[in-house]
Amino acid sequence: MTKKRIIIALGHHALGTNLPEQKAAVTGTAQVIADLIQKGWQIALVHSNAPQVGMIHTAMNEFSRLHPGYTAAPMSVCSAMSQGYIGYDLQNGIRSELLRRGIYKPVSTILTQMMVNPYDDSFYHPIKKIGRYMTRPEADAEEAKGNYVTEVPGHGWQRIISAPKPVSIVEIDAIRALLDADQIVICCGGGGIPVLEQGSHLKGASAVIEKDLAAGLLATETNADILMIATSVTNVTLNYGTPHEKSINHMTINEAEEYIRQGHFEFASMLPKIEAALSFLRSGKGRKTIITTLEKILDGIEGQAGTCIE
């Protein structure tokens, strides 16, 4: 019998912020993944990388500033670095937990590039802050290079970059092959490395991609049964942060679209998750998206926790 397939988008809570936090967090994450493996699921993991890629970007650019013989690292390279070291911790943590339970199953990290549209509107309206705070002269130097900066009151200036929507996954054939072989795949980390197609060449874009949108595309392209978005809240809520806040256990596609129209979901937090869910659900029948915490994933699959959209 064909195994059911789940794509899991891991948020900040599953990874921590710095190296020691990440090591500790991955231990708990690995236990959840091992539980799912024991229940017969095929799994691909997508993870966030905001603190990690910011740390790498700051470190590489500070190094180049202090050592003029070295160049600053572009965002695409920083994204690739974050995929590598987060994947390293995840795959080793999951492997160790599986072996502890007497299970041998390969775990692989795929360095994943994500094609984006060069005419995506986000390239003209960057919003994602990245890197260290700068003085005004340093900010002027960034703008002279063609980069965007914004003033952060009380801190100085900070670079801002675009967040285009993912169009296609360059390494999708390799990811499908590993999943079809019943292996665990870590891919599209941080939303993937955004690239622009220029003839036969792929050029890294100075941008980041919402990892939830990447997970939704991955779920569609791998014909998954469930898109699981692990976040910091147990349920999606309406009227978030108000006295009229209300938890939602179930939504239809039409209901979710209406809630978006009414402005219930925050642009930089819950909205990308709902958009990813809808894109995945519209691409095939018999699918569902579940949004809940990492600890509630198993309960969510059983319909006992979280918000289910179908």
Side-chain angles (χ1 to χ4, degrees):
M1 186 176 68
T2 303
K3 287 191 174 185
K4 287 197 171 184
R5 184 170 290 177
I6 186 169
I7 305 301
I8 304 175
L10 298 173
H12 167 71
H13 177 66
L15 296 172
T17 299
N18 52 43
L19 291 173
E21 284 184 8
Q22 182 170 300
K23 284 283 188 184
V26 162
T27 300
T29 301
Q31 292 170 356
V32 175
I33 301 307
D35 289 342
L36 288 167
I37 291 297
Q38 288 187 310
K39 289 184 177 292
W41 286 91
Q42 286 185 338
I43 299 173
L45 300 174
V46 177
H47 59 77
S48 65
N49 73 339
Q52 293 87 350
V53 77
M55 176 185 68
I56 293 168
H57 181 269
T58 299
M60 296 299 292
N61 284 279
E62 279 295 284
F63 183 79
S64 68
R65 186 176 67 85
L66 296 173
H67 300 274
Y70 293 87
T71 58
M75 274 304 304
S76 55
V77 172
C78 295
S79 179
M81 289 180 178
S82 73
Q83 282 192 21
Y85 100 79
I86 295 172
Y88 163 69
D89 274 350
L90 277 172
Q91 69 184 39
N92 282 343
I94 293 167
R95 177 182 180 276
S96 295
E97 181 62 26
L98 290 174
L99 289 177
R100 190 181 67 80
R101 301 186 189 197
I103 301 168
Y104 176 75
K105 187 179 288 289
V107 188
S108 302
T109 298
I110 300 292
L111 199 65
T112 315
Q113 300 173 97
M114 193 71 73
M115 205 81 74
V116 296
N117 183 347
Y119 303 107
D120 190 295
D121 187 60
S122 71
F123 283 115
Y124 307 99
H125 302 93
I127 58 169
K128 293 286 188 178
K129 296 176 182 176
I130 191 76
R132 66 182 180 88
Y133 296 116
M134 298 177 285
T135 64
R136 180 68 260 188
E138 289 173 328
D140 290 341
E142 284 295 321
E143 289 185 316
K145 292 187 240 178
N147 296 325
Y148 292 90
V149 298
T150 187
E151 185 174 6
V152 183
H155 296 282
W157 283 260
Q158 197 170 16
R159 188 175 167 193
I160 50 174
I161 57 176
S162 307
K165 291 185 177 180
V167 173
S168 62
I169 303 168
V170 177
E171 288 77 21
I172 189 62
D173 289 338
I175 294 166
R176 285 183 185 135
L178 289 170
L179 279 173
D180 289 344
D182 201 25
Q183 299 188 22
I184 302 167
V185 188
I186 302 160
C187 57
C188 304
I193 305 164
V195 294
L196 302 168
E197 192 169 22
Q198 298 182 344
S200 61
H201 176 64
L202 296 178
K203 176 179 174 58
S206 183
V208 293
I209 297 171
E210 290 283 357
K211 66 103 176 41
D212 298 311
L213 296 179
L217 179 59
L218 177 66
T220 297
E221 292 296 316
T222 57
N223 196 28
D225 297 283
I226 293 178
L227 170 61
M228 175 69 69
I229 300 178
T231 186
S232 59
V233 294
T234 305
N235 290 75
V236 177
T237 61
L238 303 180
N239 305 307
Y240 179 74
T242 74
H244 305 291
E245 187 171 324
K246 176 186 176 183
S247 292
I248 298 293
N249 297 321
H250 184 272
M251 281 189 282
T252 65
I253 292 176
N254 290 340
E255 287 171 337
E257 288 173 338
E258 178 60 20
Y259 293 144
I260 290 175
R261 190 189 68 79
Q262 294 174 5
H264 279 287
F265 307 127
E266 293 185 7
F267 176 77
S269 57
M270 190 55 70
L271 182 59
K273 296 171 175 55
I274 304 299
E275 290 178 336
L278 294 179
S279 176
F280 168 59
L281 295 172
R282 292 189 194 108
S283 67
K285 295 182 178 180
R287 298 173 170 181
K288 65 174 66 174
T289 297
I290 302 167
I291 302 175
T292 192
T293 61
L294 177 70
E295 295 79 9
K296 295 288 186 179
I297 281 180
L298 290 171
D299 291 337
I301 292 173
E302 298 296 327
Q304 298 173 359
T307 300
C308 178
I309 310 173
E310 57 184 347

